Amino acid sequence: MILSVAAIVAVCAGILGVLVWKGIHAINWSFITQDPNPSIAEGGSSGGVRAPIAGTLMLIVFSTLLVLPISLGAAVYLAEYMDEHSAFTKAIRLGIEVLAGVPSVVFGMFGLAIFTAPWLAFMSSKGDGVEIERAFGRSFVVATVVMALHIMPFVIKVMEEAIRSVPSVYRDAAAGLGFTKWRALRTVVLPAARPGLATAIVLGMGLVAGDTAIVWLLLGGTMTMSGSDQWWLPWNWPALLTGTGSTLTTFTYFSSPAGDGNAPEMAYGAALLLILIVLALNAVVVWIGRRSSEARS
Amino acid sequence: MEGTTGTMAVISPEHVGTDGLVGQGPTRRKVETSVAKWLLMVAALIAGGTIVLMVIFVFLEAIPLIQHSGFSWLWGKEWDVALQDAYSEELWKFGVLPLIVGTMLTTTGAVIMAGVIGMGASVFLAELGPKKIRGPVETMVRLLAGVPSVVFGLIGLTILVPWVQKTFVTDAVLLRYSDIPLDGSGLGVAIAVLTFMILPFFVTVATDSLRAVPQRYRDGGLAIGLSPWRTVTRIVIPAATPGITAGLVLAAARAIGEAIAISMVGGALAFIPRIGDGPIALLEPLRTMAAAIVENGETMNVAPIQSVLFALAALLLLGSLLLSVLARIVFARLQRRMGVVSDREI
């Protein structure tokens, strides 16, 4: 018992320690503000991670925006409207539960299967000189959609629990005032569940930030933004969104000794930034929890 | 969870919608309510239906492979060379057996390790650990769960692999097993990395299961004079078995699909580790199905490669579906057989 706790503590501390120790040297102003240098493939260690940081943030924001309405709707339906014993309910629940167990690499392949359909080429780009007639199927838009599906079951689960944990007195009181169920939901139940709903979203963000397989398959292996060199200019955004790019995870994979660009010190720099984002999101979850329990007492 | 059904009956639209007490007209309220209900149902349908679409699309893409080579790819033993041939000559002679075996070996190893370490940690967190340090340990577990797989891979590759190479891959070993490239990466490191990736997940489920065991079980054990340790091992853990077993199965579902980290530390060769070599098998390279998919994602414009990668994804999908359903069945069965009282569900 003591040994296994010691193992967990040691591994956890070891991972953080190694990341800080090896990554801190890589991080400086130019590392954060420059795009990856194309020569990274030849072992060059100049350039930075501006594009991967932007990629990670873009994926986090967009897939959260996409997953929010669907998850909230499904969670409300599951928590408030469902007849627990109907076959429909059971099927939906089973579907969501099973989806949560599907590996992210399979989500990536699913995305490729759908978005390489020729008529969906507007979401990515036409395949470049391929003998098969298909769309390229890799872009920020595609990665966003699939990432949203990937985090959906987890977000729904946490949201449903949040809604269910609102005391039924609230609902009874609203009904007593003559509120319709929908109005009671909107004005009483959902506001009361807000901390839990926010937690669900932030947990989802953490999953997006950490995933590598989906990004690697659906955002392509390009380290810089393929849409345009000056991708931050608003009129280049359509090209940016339908183009490929990278995130901190794929950058780490690419520049590790396992990838093409063998630059471990850059990989550690990116990994440290990544873990900082994950830690920050964790801190937000803790903060939300603490604030809501203070408000309740 | 309890009591919601009762509440639902009270405030369902039939009861509230007709009284006209509130400022909105009854018709508008009815329309609003039914539109809202439909929208919510659509969201639920998307959530529940995605898995169906996924099965259809992934399996459809694997069909060309079956048309070309039936099911012989399932037990063929040649992966790396076949991949080269497929790339250069569009041949369809794949063998994914090494990938299947690699996946099974890493998964089994990691589940056993995570089970052993995880049980200790869960007992600490839920039962016997000093209350003051439970909190920090729980934070550590949550932190470990948040570490991205690529970070596990990076540290495994740059720290663990060189250490294993220096410590275990001696000249004598190299000489004796000169037919296999041994460089420290392989089964052992893959299992170690995978163990700590699925560990936080298992610990969370197991801790919850232990906590769900009613307090009177513990009181009873202590009352008949058992020590706290024996109370936990003889009464609480057996009572929590359904949840713990289901947690192990779900952890296995995670392990079979891990791609990036295993591809980084697995040795990048579709070799079947020879268990007969004893501990040396832990040094032998391997490749898993998920790793093979991410490693070849770039060459998917070649028809045979594309189809075989989708076939691998289909196998993974099938595996994770079976494990998810198995976890449910195991949980329900064990719980019914043991007659354990618990209001928890998975």
Side-chain angles (χ1 to χ4, degrees):
Chain A
M1 187 179 85
I2 303 293
L3 271 181
S4 50
V5 170
I8 289 176
V9 172
V11 168
C12 203
I15 289 175
L16 291 183
V18 166
L19 283 182
V20 172
W21 173 52
K22 291 211 164 192
I24 200 88
H25 308 295
I27 297 182
N28 51 43
W29 185 243
S30 66
F31 184 70
I32 295 174
T33 53
Q34 286 181 6
D35 275 346
N37 194 319
S39 74
I40 187 177
E42 284 94 55
S45 57
S46 58
V49 292
R50 186 179 56 177
I53 292 177
T56 294
L57 295 180
M58 274 163 64
L59 270 191
I60 289 180
V61 172
F62 294 149
S63 47
T64 305
L65 286 178
L66 190 60
V67 83
L68 181 63
I70 302 178
S71 302
L72 190 58
V76 167
Y77 194 77
L78 286 172
E80 300 278 332
Y81 284 86
M82 278 227 169
D83 168 17
E84 283 300 329
H85 301 289
S86 76
F88 179 72
T89 310
K90 283 183 182 154
I92 297 260
R93 274 200 193 285
L94 182 68
I96 294 173
E97 193 177 302
V98 166
L99 194 66
V102 172
S104 79
V105 62
V106 177
F107 274 91
M109 293 300 277
F110 174 56
L112 281 179
I114 287 189
F115 290 101
T116 50
W119 63 277
L120 287 174
F122 69 94
M123 283 182 162
S124 52
S125 50
K126 292 262 185 327
D128 38 353
V130 200
E131 71 263 40
I132 319 163
E133 263 192 47
R134 302 190 102 165
F136 188 47
R138 297 165 178 86
S139 73
F140 272 104
V141 178
V142 171
T144 299
V145 173
V146 176
M147 196 66 96
L149 291 178
H150 173 53
I151 63 173
M152 181 176 66
F154 304 97
V155 177
I156 291 178
K157 195 169 176 234
V158 181
M159 282 186 167
E160 191 192 339
E161 273 167 26
I163 296 171
R164 280 187 190 277
S165 68
V166 174
S168 54
V169 187
Y170 287 34
R171 298 180 184 83
D172 297 344
L177 287 174
F179 281 21
T180 59
K181 185 167 181 134
W182 175 241
R183 190 157 169 223
L185 257 174
R186 241 182 26 207
T187 55
V188 180
V189 179
L190 289 183
R194 207 184 289 146
L197 300 178
T199 304
I201 288 294
V202 180
L203 287 175
M205 290 177 162
L207 288 176
V208 176
D211 191 273
T212 320
I214 290 179
V215 183
W216 186 253
L217 287 175
L218 294 181
L219 207 49
T222 47
M223 284 303 105
T224 48
M225 307 289 190
S226 75
S228 161
D229 281 343
Q230 293 179 304
W231 49 265
W232 56 89
L233 297 173
W235 50 88
N236 287 332
W237 287 354
L240 170 66
L241 291 178
T242 55
T244 61
S246 63
T247 64
L248 287 170
T249 53
T250 52
F251 182 86
T252 307
Y253 183 55
F254 185 83
S255 55
S256 80
D260 295 337
N262 191 350
E265 64 280 12
M266 311 260 306
Y268 269 107
L272 181 58
L273 289 178
L274 183 62
I275 208 88
L276 287 178
I277 292 180
V278 172
L279 285 180
L281 290 173
N282 262 315
V284 171
V285 171
V286 173
W287 178 72
I288 294 174
R290 205 166 283 167
R291 223 181 56 151
S292 71
S293 65
E294 267 169 25
R296 219 167 278 164
S297 60
Chain B
M1 210 175 288
E2 312 79 29
T4 7
T5 35
T7 323
M8 276 168 67
V10 176
I11 55 169
S12 69
E14 298 88 72
H15 291 258
V16 193
T18 46
D19 56 18
L21 274 175
V22 194
Q24 300 173 329
T27 338
R28 189 190 147 186
R29 229 176 301 145
K30 251 184 199 161
V31 170
E32 194 184 70
T33 304
S34 62
V35 166
K37 196 172 171 185
W38 272 103
L39 281 178
L40 296 175
M41 200 162 103
V42 168
L45 263 179
I46 294 176
T50 303
I51 185 73
V52 179
L53 284 180
M54 185 176 280
V55 170
I56 294 172
F57 272 89
V58 171
F59 276 74
L60 274 183
E61 296 281 347
I63 285 180
L65 177 66
I66 295 168
Q67 283 171 340
H68 276 86
S69 52
F71 287 94
S72 62
W73 51 277
L74 271 174
W75 46 85
K77 282 188 186 166
E78 202 49 73
W79 172 256
D80 292 313
V81 177
L83 207 62
Q84 284 298 322
D85 291 348
Y87 192 65
S88 52
E89 299 163 47
E90 292 230 359
L91 289 184
W92 292 79
K93 287 185 192 153
F94 296 103
V96 302
L97 188 67
L99 309 178
I100 297 177
V101 175
T103 305
M104 285 181 168
L105 285 176
T106 48
T107 302
T108 315
V111 167
I112 293 174
M113 294 285 293
V116 172
I117 302 176
M119 271 322 291
S122 309
V123 168
F124 182 93
L125 284 176
E127 305 288 332
L128 299 174
K131 288 225 165 66
K132 266 188 194 158
I133 34 180
R134 280 187 200 176
V137 172
E138 218 166 350
T139 310
M140 290 258 184
V141 171
R142 210 176 309 138
L143 215 63
L144 209 55
V147 175
S149 59
V150 66
V151 173
F152 275 104
L154 180 66
I155 292 181
L157 183 60
T158 54
I159 309 271
L160 218 49
V161 168
W163 177 77
V164 170
Q165 184 175 26
K166 228 170 42 198
T167 321
F168 297 106
V169 187
T170 55
D171 289 345
V173 171
L174 278 177
L175 211 60
R176 195 161 155 217
Y177 298 94
S178 54
D179 55 328
I180 322 166
L182 300 179
D183 61 359
S185 57
L187 183 58
V189 178
I191 289 179
V193 168
L194 200 52
T195 298
F196 281 94
M197 294 184 66
I198 61 173
L199 184 63
F201 178 73
F202 172 65
V203 169
T204 311
V205 179
T207 308
D208 282 351
S209 315
L210 290 175
R211 284 188 181 144
V213 174
Q215 182 58 34
R216 60 174 189 278
Y217 282 47
R218 295 178 193 90
D219 297 342
L222 296 172
I224 59 169
L226 294 180
S227 68
W229 175 255
R230 282 170 74 89
T231 306
V232 169
T233 52
R234 296 293 167 85
I235 298 176
V236 181
I237 292 179
T241 310
I244 293 171
T245 317
L248 275 183
V249 179
L250 290 176
R254 301 231 142 166
I256 61 167
E258 178 42 45
I260 298 290
I262 303 294
S263 117
M264 291 168 90
V265 302
L269 186 69
F271 180 82
I272 303 181
R274 297 183 301 223
I275 301 299
D277 291 348
I280 299 297
L282 289 175
L283 298 175
E284 294 174 355
L286 58 84
R287 182 170 267 155
T288 64
M289 295 190 275
I293 295 177
V294 281
E295 283 162 7
N296 299 294
E298 305 265 274
T299 48
M300 284 237 282
N301 47 4
V302 182
I305 296 183
Q306 174 176 319
S307 194
V308 78
L309 292 189
F310 273 106
L312 289 175
L315 287 180
L316 278 179
L317 187 53
L318 203 63
S320 75
L321 293 186
L322 287 177
L323 287 172
S324 287
V325 174
L326 182 70
R328 263 177 98 99
I329 295 174
V330 163
F331 184 72
R333 273 271 167 86
L334 284 178
Q335 201 168 42
R336 201 178 315 136
R337 198 169 71 202
M338 301 176 46
V340 176
V341 191
S342 158
D343 40 32
R344 206 178 133 267
E345 57 174 312
I346 293 205

